[in-house]
Amino acid sequence: MEDKLRSLQQEAIEKVNEAQDLKELNNIRVAYLGKKGPVTEALKGMGKLSAEERPKMGALANEVRGAITETIEAKQAVLEKEAVEKKLQSETIDVTLPGRPVKKGNHHPLTMIVEEIEDLFIGMGYTVAEGPEVEKDYYNFEALNLPKGHPARDMQDSFYITEETLLRTHTSPVQARTMELAKGKGPIKIICPGKVYRRDTDDATHSHQFTQIEGLVIDENIRMSDLKGTLNVFAKKMFGEDREIRLRPSFFPFTEPSVEMDISCKICGGKGCRVCKGTGWIEILGAGMVHPNVLEMAGFDSKKYTGFAFGMGPERIAMLKYGIDDIRHFYTNDTRFVTQFGTEE
Ligand code: PHE
């Protein structure tokens, strides 16, 4: 039995020394020291030994076990170190490689246009004013010279919440509110961007919710020529120095006289094409001199003060500027669309 144990020890140690990796080493451990391994098997024969021999063999068996375990542990340390080194070598980092670019977000094209327009007017001395989207019928219509039952209310199909409240159909109520707050004292020079709502069926050029920017100037001696000059600067800064503007007579209940502004078509240079529907001109905004009734209702003396107002849709302006063919692109948040318009900062 002694010989058997000794030869097992030698055999196991040899195998351990030859082991190539941790898995193989573990297999050897299980094979020699496991419950069904040869060392345990050999010890089963102890019963046949004399009382004298038994403790000796027991001690020897423990010694063999200990020797094998020790060799295994030593080998394990070596193999583990090797494995770590191998891993380190295979994972060396090339610090000279260029980094992966971090994706930067960009502003929504509509935000970009609104901010561009705001900046332009801020540069001309305007301040930005805002008002509520859930608006009183009074500010949305009545204070703008559109009393209840006025046929021109039909120009703007509205979402009413109660008889007296609605989702504002334009940004013009901010005019009425700002004038009221000024308590009859000019000057006022504001630009008001914001969301507006109309009962429209959504299609390529209509949306039940869209954006407007309103401008209002009130002071002594404000004339139509001031409006024209301001709109001319705006059109050239926004669409290019080579663009012409023209004012066409129009109607809005809150301005008198009222106009619509067109800019010359960039695509055909004024000759007429599909984009300008053959006219050479593209409609951009509505404007006019503030109606005396609107001034008086807000507490301004219309003999002393005059003013002009204009209102435009940034979606339409962005569509013309960037050649966008469907207004719905602005609201569906398809990143392939919204990331096309340049990254800011
Ligand atoms: N509020 C008008 C509209 O929504 C636009 C406008 C504003 C016209 C100011 C004239 C003056 O149609």
Side-chain angles (χ1 to χ4, degrees):
M1 186 173 225
E2 190 178 340
D3 290 348
K4 178 129 198 242
L5 283 170
R6 286 280 178 219
S7 73
L8 272 175
Q9 175 178 350
Q10 201 174 351
E11 191 184 307
I13 288 173
E14 265 166 28
K15 282 204 176 153
V16 167
N17 287 336
E18 276 161 24
Q20 296 292 321
D21 56 40
L22 289 162
K23 201 173 158 210
E24 207 182 323
L25 190 65
N26 199 41
N27 289 342
I28 298 168
R29 185 203 314 272
V30 173
Y32 283 89
L33 302 178
K35 271 199 186 120
K36 288 182 186 145
V39 179
T40 319
E41 278 303 309
L43 286 173
K44 276 186 187 157
M46 292 256 281
K48 288 182 201 130
L49 296 175
S50 66
E52 213 174 278
E53 289 269 299
R54 229 178 275 162
K56 269 208 231 154
M57 278 307 128
L60 179 65
N62 279 338
E63 194 194 310
V64 169
R65 226 177 228 290
I68 299 176
T69 310
E70 228 170 76
T71 330
I72 289 179
E73 272 166 11
K75 184 74 180 181
Q76 183 163 350
V78 172
L79 287 177
E80 272 172 0
K81 202 168 161 220
E82 262 176 36
V84 169
E85 260 158 30
K86 231 186 193 167
K87 202 162 179 204
L88 279 176
Q89 239 164 27
S90 69
E91 287 178 5
T92 44
I93 298 164
D94 182 354
V95 290
T96 63
L97 278 177
R100 290 199 188 92
V102 178
K103 258 197 172 174
K104 276 203 228 157
N106 62 280
H107 284 163
H108 191 280
L110 208 48
T111 308
M112 281 164 63
I113 285 284
V114 169
E115 287 183 353
E116 192 179 337
I117 298 171
E118 277 176 16
D119 285 349
L120 214 157
F121 282 100
I122 287 169
M124 292 196 269
Y126 288 65
T127 51
V128 177
E130 280 178 352
E133 287 169 35
V134 178
E135 186 53 285
K136 291 200 169 99
D137 181 281
Y138 176 77
Y139 292 111
N140 196 79
F141 289 131
E142 268 178 69
L144 295 169
N145 205 26
L146 275 141
K148 289 221 163 73
H150 193 292
R153 284 191 177 210
D154 291 349
M155 286 161 76
Q156 303 182 356
D157 277 337
S158 320
F159 289 113
Y160 273 92
I161 293 165
T162 67
E163 277 278 304
E164 298 302 330
T165 42
L166 72 162
L167 296 179
R168 66 178 176 194
T169 56
H170 50 176
T171 40
S172 304
V174 187
Q175 283 189 36
R177 285 176 172 274
T178 310
M179 280 194 270
E180 194 181 82
L181 278 177
K183 295 200 163 31
K185 222 177 150 306
I188 293 175
K189 221 171 162 188
I190 52 158
I191 188 106
C192 337
K195 292 191 189 90
V196 301
Y197 303 82
R198 290 191 195 174
R199 220 146 36 79
D200 255 330
T201 306
D202 293 0
D203 63 22
T205 52
H206 295 85
S207 169
H208 62 283
Q209 182 222 293
F210 57 103
T211 320
Q212 274 198 344
I213 295 188
E214 187 93 0
L216 173 72
V217 174
I218 308 268
D219 205 350
E220 292 173 36
N221 296 319
I222 297 289
R223 296 168 214 184
M224 189 86 181
S225 52
D226 297 314
L227 171 63
K228 199 172 169 188
T230 304
L231 294 180
N232 201 21
V233 169
F234 162 73
K236 298 203 167 189
K237 285 267 187 314
M238 205 66 199
F239 296 101
E241 291 296 325
D242 54 339
R243 310 299 282 276
E244 299 292 326
I245 68 162
R246 85 174 176 188
L247 301 181
R248 267 181 302 109
S250 183
F251 172 78
F252 299 103
F254 30 90
T255 47
E256 181 59 37
S258 301
V259 293
E260 268 172 300
M261 181 181 91
D262 299 337
I263 56 163
S264 55
C265 180
K266 190 182 180 175
I267 312 280
C268 60
K271 279 194 217 77
C273 67
R274 206 170 53 91
V275 173
C276 60
K277 300 194 182 92
T279 63
W281 295 94
I282 294 170
E283 187 192 319
I284 293 289
L285 53 76
M289 300 308 289
V290 180
H291 198 292
N293 285 356
V294 173
L295 285 165
E296 296 288 341
M297 251 188 289
F300 274 82
D301 178 357
S302 63
K303 300 257 170 0
K304 187 173 170 203
Y305 285 106
T306 47
F308 65 75
F310 54 87
M312 65 184 108
E315 280 91 343
R316 184 168 165 75
I317 291 177
M319 286 167 88
L320 290 170
K321 201 170 151 116
Y322 298 126
I324 298 163
D325 60 358
D326 195 320
I327 196 169
R328 289 167 293 195
H329 286 314
F330 290 110
Y331 316 117
T332 43
N333 282 339
D334 184 336
T335 49
R336 288 169 305 180
F337 171 74
V338 294
T339 55
Q340 275 178 42
F341 302 91
T343 307
E344 287 205 331
E345 282 115 59

